[in-house]
Amino acid sequence: MKVVVTGASGGIGAALVAKQVNLGNDVIAVSSKTSTNGIATPDDGAQWLLNCPPAEYGMTLRPLLQQSLPNTVFHCCGVLHQNGLMPEKALRQFSPAQLLDNINANCIAAVNLLQVLEPHFNRQSQCKIIVLSAKVGSIEDNYLGGWHSYRMSKAALNMAIKTVSIEWRRRFPGVTVVAVHPGTTDSTLSQPFQKNVPASQLASAATTADRLSALAGQLSAEDSGALLHWDGSKIPF
Ligand SMILES: NC(=O)c1ccc[n+]([C@@H]2O[C@H](COP(=O)([O-])OP(=O)(O)OC[C@H]3O[C@@H](n4cnc5c(N)ncnc54)[C@H](OP(=O)(O)O)[C@@H]3O)[C@@H](O)[C@H]2O)c1
């Protein structure tokens, strides 16, 4: 099996690379980082495509897509906080710049990737695309408020996945694309917020990689367009 992981240097991304290599798959790891130092060992068994900004993950993959399609794609790119800028607690903290950064990392990078994959699909193609989203991007499930930019960008991502799935359903019936909440996972992204999370609800990145790998095996065409928990249950939009 050929597997692509984008955002591969992140907590969940790197754990998925390791998991998929362990499963014996042919893994292509795409990352904006310039080196795998501290992320993977040089002989980890994956093919790393480095120095690739999220908007260009797909472009970087293009020559490899011409050889053969991946069976599974895990898009693990996203941002919640960066450069000391934390998610908003109240409307007065909102800034267009923060929203645009979040939209770029959490939504546009995924849509760009789908756009590059699309010309390689046909009616016979079999491919599962798991785009990491977040439950807080569910409008119906928003009981707490806050995190305005992150919520908006993930809601936009969920809408993009649903919209693309409708466009692809008849043209590429064997291609499944879903938005997935990985569950709260120990990573750089969640680190500042972990003190509010009971230990039983904080998964290691390796556990999340196991769960997402199992989910990929269970997905079928009927799931396409959905927003799912890591266990495959549906989250309302
Ligand atoms: N951890 C959680 O509890 C949790 C919960 C819900 C949803 N998620 C979602 O799961 C996905 C993976 O999260 P993670 O926990 O693995 O996060 P992470 O460790 O921070 O990794 C995120 C990766 O996204 C890429 N990226 C693109 N733009 C970025 C930016 N401006 N700042 C930082 N990283 C950027 C980077 O990959 P490269 O440098 O390799 O390109 C980075 O390594 C994200 O979409 C996140 O929203 C995570």
Side-chain angles (χ1 to χ4, degrees), residues 7-13 30-33 52 54 57 76-79 81-82 105-106 132-135 150 154 181-190:
S9 77
I12 298 173
V30 190
S31 175
S32 65
K33 302 293 182 290
C52 172
Y57 287 153
C76 305
C77 168
V79 70
H81 57 90
Q82 61 181 340
N106 294 331
L132 294 192
S133 183
K135 191 173 155 204
Y150 187 70
K154 291 293 192 182
H181 172 64
T184 307
T185 304
D186 186 11
S187 72
T188 306
L189 182 141
S190 68

PDB file of all heavy atoms in Angstrom, residues 7-13 30-33 52 54 57 76-79 81-82 105-106 132-135 150 154 181-190, ligand 1:
ATOM      1  N   GLY A   7       2.033  17.310   6.476  1.00  0.00           N
ATOM      2  CA  GLY A   7       2.154  17.855   7.834  1.00  0.00           C
ATOM      3  C   GLY A   7       2.853  16.814   8.690  1.00  0.00           C
ATOM      4  O   GLY A   7       2.575  16.637   9.877  1.00  0.00           O
ATOM      5  N   ALA A   8       3.814  16.121   8.062  1.00  0.00           N
ATOM      6  CA  ALA A   8       4.372  14.890   8.633  1.00  0.00           C
ATOM      7  C   ALA A   8       5.306  15.126   9.818  1.00  0.00           C
ATOM      8  O   ALA A   8       5.666  14.172  10.507  1.00  0.00           O
ATOM      9  CB  ALA A   8       5.101  14.108   7.538  1.00  0.00           C
ATOM     10  N   SER A   9       5.701  16.366  10.074  1.00  0.00           N
ATOM     11  CA  SER A   9       6.582  16.610  11.219  1.00  0.00           C
ATOM     12  C   SER A   9       5.802  16.815  12.507  1.00  0.00           C
ATOM     13  O   SER A   9       6.377  16.865  13.588  1.00  0.00           O
ATOM     14  CB  SER A   9       7.436  17.860  10.973  1.00  0.00           C
ATOM     15  OG  SER A   9       6.644  19.024  11.170  1.00  0.00           O
ATOM     16  N   GLY A  10       4.481  16.979  12.408  1.00  0.00           N
ATOM     17  CA  GLY A  10       3.668  17.269  13.600  1.00  0.00           C
ATOM     18  C   GLY A  10       3.551  16.060  14.506  1.00  0.00           C
ATOM     19  O   GLY A  10       3.979  14.949  14.142  1.00  0.00           O
ATOM     20  N   GLY A  11       2.974  16.257  15.687  1.00  0.00           N
ATOM     21  CA  GLY A  11       2.821  15.156  16.639  1.00  0.00           C
ATOM     22  C   GLY A  11       2.097  13.987  15.998  1.00  0.00           C
ATOM     23  O   GLY A  11       2.589  12.845  15.991  1.00  0.00           O
ATOM     24  N   ILE A  12       0.912  14.256  15.442  1.00  0.00           N
ATOM     25  CA  ILE A  12       0.106  13.173  14.870  1.00  0.00           C
ATOM     26  C   ILE A  12       0.715  12.709  13.539  1.00  0.00           C
ATOM     27  O   ILE A  12       0.789  11.502  13.264  1.00  0.00           O
ATOM     28  CB  ILE A  12      -1.358  13.622  14.706  1.00  0.00           C
ATOM     29  CG1 ILE A  12      -1.964  13.949  16.078  1.00  0.00           C
ATOM     30  CG2 ILE A  12      -2.181  12.557  13.992  1.00  0.00           C
ATOM     31  CD1 ILE A  12      -3.354  14.557  16.054  1.00  0.00           C
ATOM     32  N   GLY A  13       1.178  13.659  12.727  1.00  0.00           N
ATOM     33  CA  GLY A  13       1.752  13.313  11.431  1.00  0.00           C
ATOM     34  C   GLY A  13       2.940  12.362  11.580  1.00  0.00           C
ATOM     35  O   GLY A  13       3.002  11.314  10.912  1.00  0.00           O
ATOM     36  N   VAL A  30       5.433  14.350   3.785  1.00  0.00           N
ATOM     37  CA  VAL A  30       5.643  15.688   3.228  1.00  0.00           C
ATOM     38  C   VAL A  30       5.604  16.704   4.366  1.00  0.00           C
ATOM     39  O   VAL A  30       4.680  16.695   5.184  1.00  0.00           O
ATOM     40  CB  VAL A  30       4.555  16.033   2.181  1.00  0.00           C
ATOM     41  CG1 VAL A  30       4.919  17.306   1.442  1.00  0.00           C
ATOM     42  CG2 VAL A  30       4.349  14.888   1.209  1.00  0.00           C
ATOM     43  N   SER A  31       6.599  17.592   4.387  1.00  0.00           N
ATOM     44  CA  SER A  31       6.699  18.520   5.520  1.00  0.00           C
ATOM     45  C   SER A  31       7.329  19.842   5.106  1.00  0.00           C
ATOM     46  O   SER A  31       8.164  19.892   4.204  1.00  0.00           O
ATOM     47  CB  SER A  31       7.570  17.878   6.614  1.00  0.00           C
ATOM     48  OG  SER A  31       7.795  18.777   7.662  1.00  0.00           O
ATOM     49  N   SER A  32       6.943  20.888   5.835  1.00  0.00           N
ATOM     50  CA  SER A  32       7.569  22.198   5.619  1.00  0.00           C
ATOM     51  C   SER A  32       8.953  22.279   6.264  1.00  0.00           C
ATOM     52  O   SER A  32       9.733  23.181   5.950  1.00  0.00           O
ATOM     53  CB  SER A  32       6.684  23.292   6.218  1.00  0.00           C
ATOM     54  OG  SER A  32       6.611  23.137   7.619  1.00  0.00           O
ATOM     55  N   LYS A  33       9.252  21.336   7.166  1.00  0.00           N
ATOM     56  CA  LYS A  33      10.533  21.391   7.873  1.00  0.00           C
ATOM     57  C   LYS A  33      11.687  21.131   6.887  1.00  0.00           C
ATOM     58  O   LYS A  33      11.507  20.485   5.858  1.00  0.00           O
ATOM     59  CB  LYS A  33      10.572  20.362   9.010  1.00  0.00           C
ATOM     60  CG  LYS A  33       9.461  20.537  10.041  1.00  0.00           C
ATOM     61  CD  LYS A  33       9.584  21.813  10.846  1.00  0.00           C
ATOM     62  CE  LYS A  33       8.497  21.941  11.908  1.00  0.00           C
ATOM     63  NZ  LYS A  33       7.135  22.194  11.380  1.00  0.00           N
ATOM     64  N   CYS A  52       8.744  21.990   2.233  1.00  0.00           N
ATOM     65  CA  CYS A  52       7.573  22.180   1.374  1.00  0.00           C
ATOM     66  C   CYS A  52       6.463  22.868   2.169  1.00  0.00           C
ATOM     67  O   CYS A  52       5.856  22.253   3.051  1.00  0.00           O
ATOM     68  CB  CYS A  52       7.136  20.799   0.897  1.00  0.00           C
ATOM     69  SG  CYS A  52       5.601  20.837   0.029  1.00  0.00           S
ATOM     70  N   PRO A  54       2.880  24.256   3.466  1.00  0.00           N
ATOM     71  CA  PRO A  54       1.589  23.563   3.364  1.00  0.00           C
ATOM     72  C   PRO A  54       0.822  23.863   2.079  1.00  0.00           C
ATOM     73  O   PRO A  54       0.189  22.961   1.526  1.00  0.00           O
ATOM     74  CB  PRO A  54       0.838  24.074   4.600  1.00  0.00           C
ATOM     75  CG  PRO A  54       1.918  24.333   5.590  1.00  0.00           C
ATOM     76  CD  PRO A  54       3.083  24.852   4.801  1.00  0.00           C
ATOM     77  N   TYR A  57       2.088  21.309  -0.591  1.00  0.00           N
ATOM     78  CA  TYR A  57       2.226  19.860  -0.348  1.00  0.00           C
ATOM     79  C   TYR A  57       1.876  19.095  -1.637  1.00  0.00           C
ATOM     80  O   TYR A  57       2.581  18.182  -2.054  1.00  0.00           O
ATOM     81  CB  TYR A  57       1.262  19.390   0.743  1.00  0.00           C
ATOM     82  CG  TYR A  57       1.560  19.771   2.180  1.00  0.00           C
ATOM     83  CD1 TYR A  57       0.515  19.876   3.095  1.00  0.00           C
ATOM     84  CD2 TYR A  57       2.850  19.984   2.653  1.00  0.00           C
ATOM     85  CE1 TYR A  57       0.738  20.182   4.433  1.00  0.00           C
ATOM     86  CE2 TYR A  57       3.088  20.303   3.994  1.00  0.00           C
ATOM     87  CZ  TYR A  57       2.021  20.405   4.883  1.00  0.00           C
ATOM     88  OH  TYR A  57       2.239  20.709   6.205  1.00  0.00           O
ATOM     89  N   CYS A  76      -2.329  16.042   7.860  1.00  0.00           N
ATOM     90  CA  CYS A  76      -2.214  16.282   9.312  1.00  0.00           C
ATOM     91  C   CYS A  76      -1.767  17.692   9.628  1.00  0.00           C
ATOM     92  O   CYS A  76      -1.159  17.943  10.676  1.00  0.00           O
ATOM     93  CB  CYS A  76      -1.216  15.297   9.913  1.00  0.00           C
ATOM     94  SG  CYS A  76      -1.636  13.593   9.562  1.00  0.00           S
ATOM     95  N   CYS A  77      -2.023  18.605   8.741  1.00  0.00           N
ATOM     96  CA  CYS A  77      -1.567  19.987   8.883  1.00  0.00           C
ATOM     97  C   CYS A  77      -2.600  20.798   9.659  1.00  0.00           C
ATOM     98  O   CYS A  77      -3.805  20.625   9.482  1.00  0.00           O
ATOM     99  CB  CYS A  77      -1.417  20.537   7.464  1.00  0.00           C
ATOM    100  SG  CYS A  77      -1.182  22.287   7.353  1.00  0.00           S
ATOM    101  N   GLY A  78      -2.134  21.693  10.507  1.00  0.00           N
ATOM    102  CA  GLY A  78      -3.071  22.585  11.184  1.00  0.00           C
ATOM    103  C   GLY A  78      -2.368  23.476  12.178  1.00  0.00           C
ATOM    104  O   GLY A  78      -1.236  23.199  12.585  1.00  0.00           O
ATOM    105  N   VAL A  79      -3.031  24.552  12.556  1.00  0.00           N
ATOM    106  CA  VAL A  79      -2.475  25.455  13.565  1.00  0.00           C
ATOM    107  C   VAL A  79      -3.588  25.907  14.505  1.00  0.00           C
ATOM    108  O   VAL A  79      -4.730  26.098  14.087  1.00  0.00           O
ATOM    109  CB  VAL A  79      -1.762  26.665  12.904  1.00  0.00           C
ATOM    110  CG1 VAL A  79      -2.740  27.621  12.237  1.00  0.00           C
ATOM    111  CG2 VAL A  79      -0.906  27.400  13.912  1.00  0.00           C
ATOM    112  N   HIS A  81      -2.186  27.733  17.658  1.00  0.00           N
ATOM    113  CA  HIS A  81      -1.438  28.861  18.216  1.00  0.00           C
ATOM    114  C   HIS A  81      -0.079  28.886  17.548  1.00  0.00           C
ATOM    115  O   HIS A  81       0.442  27.838  17.157  1.00  0.00           O
ATOM    116  CB  HIS A  81      -1.266  28.700  19.727  1.00  0.00           C
ATOM    117  CG  HIS A  81      -0.591  27.425  20.117  1.00  0.00           C
ATOM    118  ND1 HIS A  81       0.780  27.319  20.255  1.00  0.00           N
ATOM    119  CD2 HIS A  81      -1.075  26.177  20.335  1.00  0.00           C
ATOM    120  CE1 HIS A  81       1.088  26.073  20.568  1.00  0.00           C
ATOM    121  NE2 HIS A  81      -0.015  25.359  20.623  1.00  0.00           N
ATOM    122  N   GLN A  82       0.476  30.069  17.371  1.00  0.00           N
ATOM    123  CA  GLN A  82       1.837  30.161  16.830  1.00  0.00           C
ATOM    124  C   GLN A  82       2.445  31.496  17.217  1.00  0.00           C
ATOM    125  O   GLN A  82       1.730  32.478  17.395  1.00  0.00           O
ATOM    126  CB  GLN A  82       1.850  29.987  15.314  1.00  0.00           C
ATOM    127  CG  GLN A  82       1.048  31.026  14.553  1.00  0.00           C
ATOM    128  CD  GLN A  82       1.084  30.779  13.058  1.00  0.00           C
ATOM    129  OE1 GLN A  82       1.947  30.094  12.545  1.00  0.00           O
ATOM    130  NE2 GLN A  82       0.125  31.368  12.349  1.00  0.00           N
ATOM    131  N   ALA A 105      -3.633  27.541   7.134  1.00  0.00           N
ATOM    132  CA  ALA A 105      -3.110  26.261   7.639  1.00  0.00           C
ATOM    133  C   ALA A 105      -4.202  25.209   7.785  1.00  0.00           C
ATOM    134  O   ALA A 105      -3.961  24.029   7.525  1.00  0.00           O
ATOM    135  CB  ALA A 105      -2.423  26.475   8.986  1.00  0.00           C
ATOM    136  N   ASN A 106      -5.398  25.634   8.197  1.00  0.00           N
ATOM    137  CA  ASN A 106      -6.430  24.651   8.561  1.00  0.00           C
ATOM    138  C   ASN A 106      -7.401  24.327   7.436  1.00  0.00           C
ATOM    139  O   ASN A 106      -8.132  23.354   7.529  1.00  0.00           O
ATOM    140  CB  ASN A 106      -7.232  25.164   9.767  1.00  0.00           C
ATOM    141  CG  ASN A 106      -6.384  25.246  11.022  1.00  0.00           C
ATOM    142  OD1 ASN A 106      -5.434  24.482  11.167  1.00  0.00           O
ATOM    143  ND2 ASN A 106      -6.690  26.174  11.907  1.00  0.00           N
ATOM    144  N   LEU A 132      -7.377  15.872   8.730  1.00  0.00           N
ATOM    145  CA  LEU A 132      -7.590  16.119  10.157  1.00  0.00           C
ATOM    146  C   LEU A 132      -8.259  17.473  10.359  1.00  0.00           C
ATOM    147  O   LEU A 132      -7.770  18.507   9.905  1.00  0.00           O
ATOM    148  CB  LEU A 132      -6.284  16.024  10.932  1.00  0.00           C
ATOM    149  CG  LEU A 132      -5.659  14.628  10.949  1.00  0.00           C
ATOM    150  CD1 LEU A 132      -4.539  14.547  11.976  1.00  0.00           C
ATOM    151  CD2 LEU A 132      -6.693  13.537  11.228  1.00  0.00           C
ATOM    152  N   SER A 133      -9.397  17.419  11.021  1.00  0.00           N
ATOM    153  CA  SER A 133     -10.158  18.623  11.337  1.00  0.00           C
ATOM    154  C   SER A 133     -10.251  18.712  12.860  1.00  0.00           C
ATOM    155  O   SER A 133      -9.313  18.322  13.555  1.00  0.00           O
ATOM    156  CB  SER A 133     -11.537  18.537  10.670  1.00  0.00           C
ATOM    157  OG  SER A 133     -12.251  19.724  10.910  1.00  0.00           O
ATOM    158  N   ALA A 134     -11.354  19.213  13.383  1.00  0.00           N
ATOM    159  CA  ALA A 134     -11.525  19.294  14.831  1.00  0.00           C
ATOM    160  C   ALA A 134     -13.011  19.394  15.140  1.00  0.00           C
ATOM    161  O   ALA A 134     -13.762  20.035  14.401  1.00  0.00           O
ATOM    162  CB  ALA A 134     -10.792  20.503  15.398  1.00  0.00           C
ATOM    163  N   LYS A 135     -13.395  18.772  16.243  1.00  0.00           N
ATOM    164  CA  LYS A 135     -14.797  18.810  16.678  1.00  0.00           C
ATOM    165  C   LYS A 135     -15.242  20.249  16.933  1.00  0.00           C
ATOM    166  O   LYS A 135     -16.403  20.592  16.739  1.00  0.00           O
ATOM    167  CB  LYS A 135     -14.906  17.972  17.955  1.00  0.00           C
ATOM    168  CG  LYS A 135     -16.301  17.685  18.411  1.00  0.00           C
ATOM    169  CD  LYS A 135     -16.230  16.713  19.579  1.00  0.00           C
ATOM    170  CE  LYS A 135     -17.449  16.837  20.440  1.00  0.00           C
ATOM    171  NZ  LYS A 135     -17.231  16.388  21.798  1.00  0.00           N
ATOM    172  N   TYR A 150      -9.880  29.587  14.996  1.00  0.00           N
ATOM    173  CA  TYR A 150      -9.693  28.139  14.808  1.00  0.00           C
ATOM    174  C   TYR A 150     -11.026  27.494  14.453  1.00  0.00           C
ATOM    175  O   TYR A 150     -11.117  26.702  13.512  1.00  0.00           O
ATOM    176  CB  TYR A 150      -9.115  27.536  16.089  1.00  0.00           C
ATOM    177  CG  TYR A 150      -8.712  26.078  16.004  1.00  0.00           C
ATOM    178  CD1 TYR A 150      -7.609  25.681  15.257  1.00  0.00           C
ATOM    179  CD2 TYR A 150      -9.420  25.096  16.702  1.00  0.00           C
ATOM    180  CE1 TYR A 150      -7.220  24.338  15.209  1.00  0.00           C
ATOM    181  CE2 TYR A 150      -9.036  23.755  16.665  1.00  0.00           C
ATOM    182  CZ  TYR A 150      -7.931  23.383  15.911  1.00  0.00           C
ATOM    183  OH  TYR A 150      -7.553  22.053  15.876  1.00  0.00           O
ATOM    184  N   LYS A 154     -11.831  25.655  10.852  1.00  0.00           N
ATOM    185  CA  LYS A 154     -12.169  24.222  10.787  1.00  0.00           C
ATOM    186  C   LYS A 154     -13.592  24.031  10.248  1.00  0.00           C
ATOM    187  O   LYS A 154     -13.857  23.045   9.554  1.00  0.00           O
ATOM    188  CB  LYS A 154     -12.008  23.560  12.163  1.00  0.00           C
ATOM    189  CG  LYS A 154     -10.553  23.440  12.631  1.00  0.00           C
ATOM    190  CD  LYS A 154      -9.725  22.484  11.775  1.00  0.00           C
ATOM    191  CE  LYS A 154      -8.382  22.151  12.421  1.00  0.00           C
ATOM    192  NZ  LYS A 154      -7.546  21.274  11.580  1.00  0.00           N
ATOM    193  N   HIS A 181     -11.959  14.308  13.398  1.00  0.00           N
ATOM    194  CA  HIS A 181     -11.468  14.808  14.691  1.00  0.00           C
ATOM    195  C   HIS A 181     -10.614  13.699  15.310  1.00  0.00           C
ATOM    196  O   HIS A 181     -11.138  12.616  15.618  1.00  0.00           O
ATOM    197  CB  HIS A 181     -12.657  15.143  15.599  1.00  0.00           C
ATOM    198  CG  HIS A 181     -12.244  15.480  16.998  1.00  0.00           C
ATOM    199  ND1 HIS A 181     -11.470  16.584  17.293  1.00  0.00           N
ATOM    200  CD2 HIS A 181     -12.470  14.850  18.177  1.00  0.00           C
ATOM    201  CE1 HIS A 181     -11.242  16.626  18.598  1.00  0.00           C
ATOM    202  NE2 HIS A 181     -11.842  15.589  19.157  1.00  0.00           N
ATOM    203  N   PRO A 182      -9.304  13.950  15.495  1.00  0.00           N
ATOM    204  CA  PRO A 182      -8.433  12.862  15.957  1.00  0.00           C
ATOM    205  C   PRO A 182      -8.571  12.553  17.446  1.00  0.00           C
ATOM    206  O   PRO A 182      -8.002  11.577  17.919  1.00  0.00           O
ATOM    207  CB  PRO A 182      -7.027  13.406  15.654  1.00  0.00           C
ATOM    208  CG  PRO A 182      -7.172  14.893  15.708  1.00  0.00           C
ATOM    209  CD  PRO A 182      -8.571  15.200  15.237  1.00  0.00           C
ATOM    210  N   GLY A 183      -9.317  13.395  18.176  1.00  0.00           N
ATOM    211  CA  GLY A 183      -9.339  13.272  19.632  1.00  0.00           C
ATOM    212  C   GLY A 183      -8.184  14.063  20.203  1.00  0.00           C
ATOM    213  O   GLY A 183      -7.169  14.294  19.527  1.00  0.00           O
ATOM    214  N   THR A 184      -8.350  14.521  21.454  1.00  0.00           N
ATOM    215  CA  THR A 184      -7.299  15.342  22.054  1.00  0.00           C
ATOM    216  C   THR A 184      -6.036  14.503  22.214  1.00  0.00           C
ATOM    217  O   THR A 184      -6.059  13.426  22.814  1.00  0.00           O
ATOM    218  CB  THR A 184      -7.768  15.915  23.402  1.00  0.00           C
ATOM    219  OG1 THR A 184      -9.018  16.570  23.188  1.00  0.00           O
ATOM    220  CG2 THR A 184      -6.770  16.919  23.950  1.00  0.00           C
ATOM    221  N   THR A 185      -4.962  15.009  21.638  1.00  0.00           N
ATOM    222  CA  THR A 185      -3.725  14.233  21.486  1.00  0.00           C
ATOM    223  C   THR A 185      -2.540  15.060  21.961  1.00  0.00           C
ATOM    224  O   THR A 185      -2.470  16.264  21.675  1.00  0.00           O
ATOM    225  CB  THR A 185      -3.537  13.876  19.988  1.00  0.00           C
ATOM    226  OG1 THR A 185      -4.698  13.190  19.530  1.00  0.00           O
ATOM    227  CG2 THR A 185      -2.310  13.017  19.779  1.00  0.00           C
ATOM    228  N   ASP A 186      -1.635  14.412  22.656  1.00  0.00           N
ATOM    229  CA  ASP A 186      -0.440  15.089  23.159  1.00  0.00           C
ATOM    230  C   ASP A 186       0.441  15.531  21.975  1.00  0.00           C
ATOM    231  O   ASP A 186       1.002  14.691  21.263  1.00  0.00           O
ATOM    232  CB  ASP A 186       0.326  14.110  24.064  1.00  0.00           C
ATOM    233  CG  ASP A 186       1.503  14.772  24.744  1.00  0.00           C
ATOM    234  OD1 ASP A 186       1.610  16.014  24.691  1.00  0.00           O
ATOM    235  OD2 ASP A 186       2.322  14.031  25.327  1.00  0.00           O
ATOM    236  N   SER A 187       0.506  16.848  21.760  1.00  0.00           N
ATOM    237  CA  SER A 187       1.308  17.399  20.653  1.00  0.00           C
ATOM    238  C   SER A 187       1.599  18.870  20.958  1.00  0.00           C
ATOM    239  O   SER A 187       1.060  19.428  21.918  1.00  0.00           O
ATOM    240  CB  SER A 187       0.546  17.299  19.325  1.00  0.00           C
ATOM    241  OG  SER A 187      -0.505  18.248  19.321  1.00  0.00           O
ATOM    242  N   THR A 188       2.406  19.489  20.114  1.00  0.00           N
ATOM    243  CA  THR A 188       2.698  20.924  20.285  1.00  0.00           C
ATOM    244  C   THR A 188       1.402  21.730  20.252  1.00  0.00           C
ATOM    245  O   THR A 188       1.237  22.702  20.994  1.00  0.00           O
ATOM    246  CB  THR A 188       3.617  21.390  19.131  1.00  0.00           C
ATOM    247  OG1 THR A 188       4.747  20.541  19.105  1.00  0.00           O
ATOM    248  CG2 THR A 188       4.058  22.832  19.309  1.00  0.00           C
ATOM    249  N   LEU A 189       0.482  21.300  19.387  1.00  0.00           N
ATOM    250  CA  LEU A 189      -0.770  22.049  19.224  1.00  0.00           C
ATOM    251  C   LEU A 189      -1.601  22.054  20.506  1.00  0.00           C
ATOM    252  O   LEU A 189      -2.147  23.086  20.906  1.00  0.00           O
ATOM    253  CB  LEU A 189      -1.556  21.437  18.060  1.00  0.00           C
ATOM    254  CG  LEU A 189      -2.892  22.092  17.680  1.00  0.00           C
ATOM    255  CD1 LEU A 189      -3.056  22.100  16.153  1.00  0.00           C
ATOM    256  CD2 LEU A 189      -4.071  21.365  18.307  1.00  0.00           C
ATOM    257  N   SER A 190      -1.681  20.918  21.177  1.00  0.00           N
ATOM    258  CA  SER A 190      -2.555  20.829  22.362  1.00  0.00           C
ATOM    259  C   SER A 190      -1.838  21.184  23.654  1.00  0.00           C
ATOM    260  O   SER A 190      -2.479  21.400  24.684  1.00  0.00           O
ATOM    261  CB  SER A 190      -3.119  19.411  22.491  1.00  0.00           C
ATOM    262  OG  SER A 190      -2.082  18.492  22.802  1.00  0.00           O
TER     263      SER A 190
HETATM  264  N1  LIG B   1      -3.609  17.519  18.991  1.00  0.00           N
HETATM  265  C1  LIG B   1      -4.898  17.622  19.218  1.00  0.00           C
HETATM  266  O1  LIG B   1      -5.353  17.482  20.373  1.00  0.00           O
HETATM  267  C2  LIG B   1      -5.858  17.880  18.099  1.00  0.00           C
HETATM  268  C3  LIG B   1      -7.231  17.959  18.398  1.00  0.00           C
HETATM  269  C4  LIG B   1      -8.123  18.208  17.367  1.00  0.00           C
HETATM  270  C5  LIG B   1      -7.672  18.372  16.085  1.00  0.00           C
HETATM  271  N2  LIG B   1      -6.330  18.299  15.813  1.00  0.00           N
HETATM  272  C6  LIG B   1      -5.885  18.506  14.433  1.00  0.00           C
HETATM  273  O2  LIG B   1      -4.971  17.490  14.058  1.00  0.00           O
HETATM  274  C7  LIG B   1      -4.026  18.032  13.104  1.00  0.00           C
HETATM  275  C8  LIG B   1      -2.604  17.703  13.559  1.00  0.00           C
HETATM  276  O3  LIG B   1      -2.387  18.313  14.814  1.00  0.00           O
HETATM  277  P1  LIG B   1      -1.121  17.991  15.746  1.00  0.00           P
HETATM  278  O4  LIG B   1      -1.661  17.847  17.113  1.00  0.00           O
HETATM  279  O5  LIG B   1      -0.284  16.919  15.168  1.00  0.00           O
HETATM  280  O6  LIG B   1      -0.374  19.394  15.670  1.00  0.00           O
HETATM  281  P2  LIG B   1       1.187  19.781  15.519  1.00  0.00           P
HETATM  282  O7  LIG B   1       2.029  18.810  16.250  1.00  0.00           O
HETATM  283  O8  LIG B   1       1.268  21.219  15.882  1.00  0.00           O
HETATM  284  O9  LIG B   1       1.449  19.591  13.943  1.00  0.00           O
HETATM  285  C9  LIG B   1       0.792  20.381  12.995  1.00  0.00           C
HETATM  286  C10 LIG B   1       1.577  20.387  11.696  1.00  0.00           C
HETATM  287  O10 LIG B   1       0.893  21.252  10.778  1.00  0.00           O
HETATM  288  C11 LIG B   1       1.834  21.868   9.908  1.00  0.00           C
HETATM  289  N3  LIG B   1       1.619  23.336   9.916  1.00  0.00           N
HETATM  290  C12 LIG B   1       1.192  24.079   8.875  1.00  0.00           C
HETATM  291  N4  LIG B   1       1.098  25.376   9.182  1.00  0.00           N
HETATM  292  C13 LIG B   1       1.471  25.474  10.454  1.00  0.00           C
HETATM  293  C14 LIG B   1       1.598  26.567  11.331  1.00  0.00           C
HETATM  294  N5  LIG B   1       1.303  27.820  10.955  1.00  0.00           N
HETATM  295  N6  LIG B   1       2.014  26.324  12.599  1.00  0.00           N
HETATM  296  C15 LIG B   1       2.292  25.060  12.983  1.00  0.00           C
HETATM  297  N7  LIG B   1       2.182  23.970  12.173  1.00  0.00           N
HETATM  298  C16 LIG B   1       1.780  24.184  10.927  1.00  0.00           C
HETATM  299  C17 LIG B   1       3.218  21.481  10.380  1.00  0.00           C
HETATM  300  O11 LIG B   1       3.628  20.378   9.567  1.00  0.00           O
HETATM  301  P3  LIG B   1       4.947  20.378   8.634  1.00  0.00           P
HETATM  302  O12 LIG B   1       5.912  21.369   9.215  1.00  0.00           O
HETATM  303  O13 LIG B   1       5.415  18.977   8.733  1.00  0.00           O
HETATM  304  O14 LIG B   1       4.520  20.767   7.278  1.00  0.00           O
HETATM  305  C18 LIG B   1       2.986  20.966  11.800  1.00  0.00           C
HETATM  306  O15 LIG B   1       3.940  20.045  12.172  1.00  0.00           O
HETATM  307  C19 LIG B   1      -4.330  19.539  12.990  1.00  0.00           C
HETATM  308  O16 LIG B   1      -5.158  19.754  11.870  1.00  0.00           O
HETATM  309  C20 LIG B   1      -5.134  19.819  14.256  1.00  0.00           C
HETATM  310  O17 LIG B   1      -6.011  20.919  14.097  1.00  0.00           O
HETATM  311  C21 LIG B   1      -5.415  18.064  16.794  1.00  0.00           C
END
